[in-house]
Amino acid sequence: MQNKLEVIRWSADCSATSSFESSTSTPEPEKGPALSPTSPQADPSAPYPTERRMTYDPWGQHERRFPGNGAAARLTALKAHFEDRSAHYIGFPNSRLLSFAALADFLKFNINNIGDPFHPNNGINTCDFEQEVIAFWSTALHLDPTAGWGYITNGSTEGIMYGIAQGRDRYEDAILIFSDQSHYCLHKIAHLLRLPHRVIPNHPDGTLNLEALNTTLAELGGRPCILNLTVGTTFHGAIEAPQQVLELLEQRHCRDFHLHVDAALYGPMHCWIAGAPLFDFRLPIHTLSFSGHKFLGAPIPCGLVLSHRDPIQPFAGSAEYVGSLDTTLSGSRDGFCALVLWLVIQQLGPQGLAELAAESLQMAAELVSRLKAAGIAATRHPQGCIVVFPRPEQAIARRWQLATYGDFAHIVTVPGVTQEMIGAFIAELVEAGAQTATGLGP
């Protein structure tokens, strides 16, 4: 399709009216407000309120009482094992950015961001840091922080489920639509929310089959639908372009829909890439989620879900027991992850994130060239950091922790994957192929 979205006007209930005109051009990315690592509502110089201090060190007291002398050797061995495995970790989209050693002292505290981050609970929490993280990414993804809402999740599955639950509550008789290259959690979510669903086929390269989607929409005959579109499919890294789907909905005069964007990997990455396909809140999407432990390198699985401040909140209710509101799916939430995501913003900032995103794409392009030069077929999507190639023998796939799907495997060139690692992998791949060709291999 060659249409472009020209005008988007949001109404109070988060629906949108739009006009489309035929064009062969792609809309230029809009420049949002300048981003700073620290949210404007936070005053880093303002001290936290202090009370009269007492001598308090229960952690040291218990560690002296129960020394656990056998633990140190086991943990030292595990650390060495993890360091070796990390040096051969190229098949999954988990960056290695920071050691987060600056946060070590916070591991002993019972940090629980239970409830709504904008209604901090009565216990030890990092909701103010969480609000800064939400504000930063809202701005980066063109969601007005004053009109948006969100929270840090325990991973993308929770973020996707929240978005789809919001759509379910908006349209109780809706059909859930997602592609067969969507994350596997969509089937689980459809089951848990008791949603009838349709699965749309993808093309062999992972892109969405728009003709099949058009046929499904025609069969629904105007029935409300909840669409999950993936920006960076799990295996191929394809983009199920929200703009094209919105144009299709407009052509079919579909007005009753809820669109969730699962941008687990590319969400915090593509927002810095000039010319990347539109996927954020410049389009009339309703909810968006991404992972914190992928491109952003959080050592603990986590994520972020964003939405407009919507009168429809699937899990809204009082949490008087903890002094907050229960607007989240998980209730108790890891407040340490808020510090992790906040520290990434503080240390890297927009410039650092943009540089790392560009370097990841450049390394993927170079990897494709190096594999082809070695006689190995390889592909990647434009502006993608996932490189797909024929599946190697099992020993190599296991050693380098490759993700495999049928006859193919992939490498994800996120920060932490080095040229040295890529060179060693290709050398092993070429050697294994030579041994097999001469009859020396298994």
Side-chain angles (χ1 to χ4, degrees):
M1 293 186 181
Q2 300 299 328
N3 294 333
K4 73 172 184 177
L5 182 61
E6 185 181 67
V7 180
I8 301 172
R9 299 186 300 275
W10 280 99
S11 59
D13 65 352
C14 294
S15 63
T17 58
S18 59
S19 64
F20 295 82
E21 290 186 358
S22 295
S23 170
T24 57
S25 62
T26 301
E28 290 295 326
E30 298 177 11
K31 292 184 178 180
L35 299 178
S36 62
T38 304
S39 172
Q41 72 256 31
D43 179 3
S45 65
Y48 287 95
T50 57
E51 299 179 4
R52 183 177 176 182
R53 289 226 171 177
M54 65 179 80
T55 302
Y56 187 74
D57 182 22
W59 307 280
Q61 178 184 355
H62 288 110
E63 286 167 355
R64 289 188 294 273
R65 181 181 176 187
F66 307 106
N69 295 327
R74 179 78 181 273
L75 293 175
T76 298
L78 180 63
K79 179 183 176 183
H81 172 68
F82 281 176
E83 288 173 343
D84 177 70
R85 295 297 283 160
S86 294
H88 298 85
Y89 190 77
I90 61 175
F92 293 90
N94 304 107
S95 296
R96 273 112 324 148
L97 293 180
L98 307 175
S99 70
F100 299 102
L103 302 178
D105 287 344
F106 293 91
L107 285 171
K108 65 185 179 183
F109 297 109
N110 305 105
I111 310 173
N112 191 339
N113 286 11
I114 187 171
D116 191 304
F118 296 94
H119 296 272
N121 61 76
N122 292 334
I124 295 174
N125 66 75
T126 55
C127 288
D128 51 344
F129 288 82
E130 184 174 4
Q131 290 174 31
E132 291 184 42
V133 172
I134 294 167
F136 178 88
W137 287 110
S138 293
T139 303
L141 295 166
H142 297 271
L143 174 63
D144 180 357
T146 64
W149 182 84
Y151 74 93
I152 293 175
T153 66
N154 292 299
S156 277
T157 296
E158 180 182 346
I160 296 169
M161 187 169 184
Y162 183 92
I164 290 173
Q166 190 180 94
R168 190 270 315 268
D169 285 9
R170 176 177 281 114
Y171 303 112
E172 293 184 357
D173 62 338
I175 295 281
L176 173 62
I177 299 175
F178 56 92
S179 76
D180 62 15
Q181 291 291 307
S182 296
H183 192 272
Y184 61 82
C185 73
L186 267 299
H187 292 278
K188 177 167 55 178
I189 290 170
H191 172 73
L192 291 173
L193 296 180
R194 298 180 179 273
L195 277 170
H197 62 280
R198 301 283 184 90
V199 179
I200 308 300
N202 293 76
H203 294 296
D205 67 350
T207 55
L208 183 64
N209 188 327
L210 289 172
E211 291 183 3
L213 175 60
N214 187 36
T215 299
T216 296
L217 292 173
E219 292 172 350
L220 294 181
R223 182 174 176 178
C225 59
I226 304 166
L227 296 106
N228 179 87
L229 298 179
T230 307
V231 176
T233 55
T234 306
F235 190 77
H236 291 92
I239 297 174
E240 298 176 344
Q243 185 174 2
Q244 293 181 350
V245 174
L246 286 164
E247 290 167 356
L248 179 59
L249 291 168
E250 177 75 7
Q251 291 169 8
R252 297 205 61 85
H253 305 290
C254 296
R255 305 295 184 190
D256 297 331
F257 67 89
H258 179 100
L259 200 162
H260 178 81
V261 173
D262 168 21
L265 173 58
Y266 287 161
M269 186 178 186
H270 272 195
C271 59
W272 313 111
I273 302 298
L278 288 177
F279 69 94
D280 56 28
F281 288 93
R282 285 171 287 182
L283 299 173
I285 67 172
H286 297 86
T287 48
L288 181 151
S289 61
F290 64 78
S291 294
H293 56 284
K294 291 187 172 70
F295 177 67
L296 297 180
I300 301 170
C302 60
L304 186 69
V305 63
L306 296 171
S307 76
H308 297 269
R309 288 192 181 273
D310 197 312
I312 299 173
Q313 292 182 319
F315 311 103
S318 171
E320 182 179 357
Y321 172 71
V322 295
S324 184
L325 298 175
D326 184 14
T327 54
T328 67
L329 176 59
S330 53
S332 286
R333 295 182 300 109
D334 178 10
F336 185 80
C337 283
L339 293 179
V340 166
L341 297 181
W342 176 86
L343 189 62
V344 170
I345 294 170
Q346 294 299 310
Q347 289 205 222
L348 275 66
Q351 182 63 36
L353 290 164
E355 289 178 9
L356 290 174
E359 290 167 9
S360 293
L361 300 191
Q362 179 62 31
M363 179 176 282
E366 293 173 358
L367 173 57
V368 170
S369 297
R370 293 178 69 176
L371 286 170
K372 288 182 175 179
I376 301 166
T379 61
R380 76 173 182 114
H381 282 280
Q383 298 164 326
C385 65
I386 295 179
V387 176
V388 179
F389 54 95
R391 181 174 183 164
E393 63 183 52
Q394 187 62 22
I396 291 179
R398 191 176 291 124
R399 171 172 164 75
W400 289 95
Q401 300 163 80
L402 300 180
T404 57
Y405 185 78
D407 294 330
F408 296 94
H410 77 206
I411 292 173
V412 190
T413 57
V414 289
V417 176
T418 66
Q419 293 290 358
E420 182 182 5
M421 294 163 71
I422 293 298
F425 169 75
I426 293 176
E428 285 190 27
L429 204 58
V430 170
E431 181 181 0
Q435 289 179 348
T436 302
T438 58
L440 298 176

